[in-house]
Amino acid sequence: MSTTVVVTAGERPSDGSAAQPRASAVASDSRYIDEVGPAAVTVVEFLDFECEACAYFHPFVEELRAVYDGEINYVVRYFPLPIHRSGMDAAIAAEAAAQQGQFEGMYQHLFETQGSRLYRRC
């Protein structure tokens, strides 16, 4: 299952006082696909590259990114589920690509080829 969380940054209370610190869904190991700055709305998707629901949701994510291009931060967090035999391997492959500056290409590839990979269990 894909879970999406919207986090707004730079928000101030209506009385004009400083914003209070709050927990963030963006962790130090999160991967930005679109990054426009800390004042923009940030959408964080927790995903499993082997999850059929995540693959179904992927075109909607791409539409959201296109409509709000340059206006939002879009962040991915890995959330491989134990019922997906290759979920962790896919996350590791995505992270390896990210460390080589190729995350978005791998992100797209993993969803585009999801149905053709071997060892699917769900």
Side-chain angles (χ1 to χ4, degrees):
M1 166 191 291
S2 173
T3 305
T4 302
V5 178
V6 177
V7 180
T8 53
E11 192 173 85
R12 290 197 173 271
S14 59
D15 67 2
S17 62
Q20 296 299 312
R22 60 182 174 199
S24 175
V26 179
S28 61
D29 61 349
S30 298
R31 292 295 170 189
Y32 281 81
I33 296 177
D34 300 319
E35 186 172 12
V36 296
V41 168
T42 300
V43 178
V44 182
E45 181 181 8
F46 292 80
L47 62 77
D48 178 342
F49 290 107
E50 289 293 302
C51 174
E52 290 176 356
C54 294
Y56 180 79
F57 186 67
H58 182 69
F60 299 104
V61 167
E62 292 306 300
E63 183 178 349
L64 176 80
R65 290 179 59 209
V67 168
Y68 294 100
D69 185 36
E71 297 177 40
I72 64 169
N73 298 307
Y74 199 87
V75 178
V76 171
R77 302 267 318 260
Y78 310 125
F79 195 70
L81 300 173
I83 63 168
H84 299 122
R85 183 179 291 176
S86 299
M88 181 61 78
D89 291 340
I92 290 169
E95 183 57 26
Q99 291 178 16
Q100 297 172 56
Q102 300 296 318
F103 177 74
E104 186 165 1
M106 180 60 85
Y107 166 85
Q108 299 296 342
H109 176 75
L110 288 168
F111 280 122
E112 290 167 2
T113 62
Q114 185 189 79
S116 65
R117 288 196 292 276
L118 299 174
Y119 308 115
R120 294 200 52 224
R121 242 175 48 167
C122 69

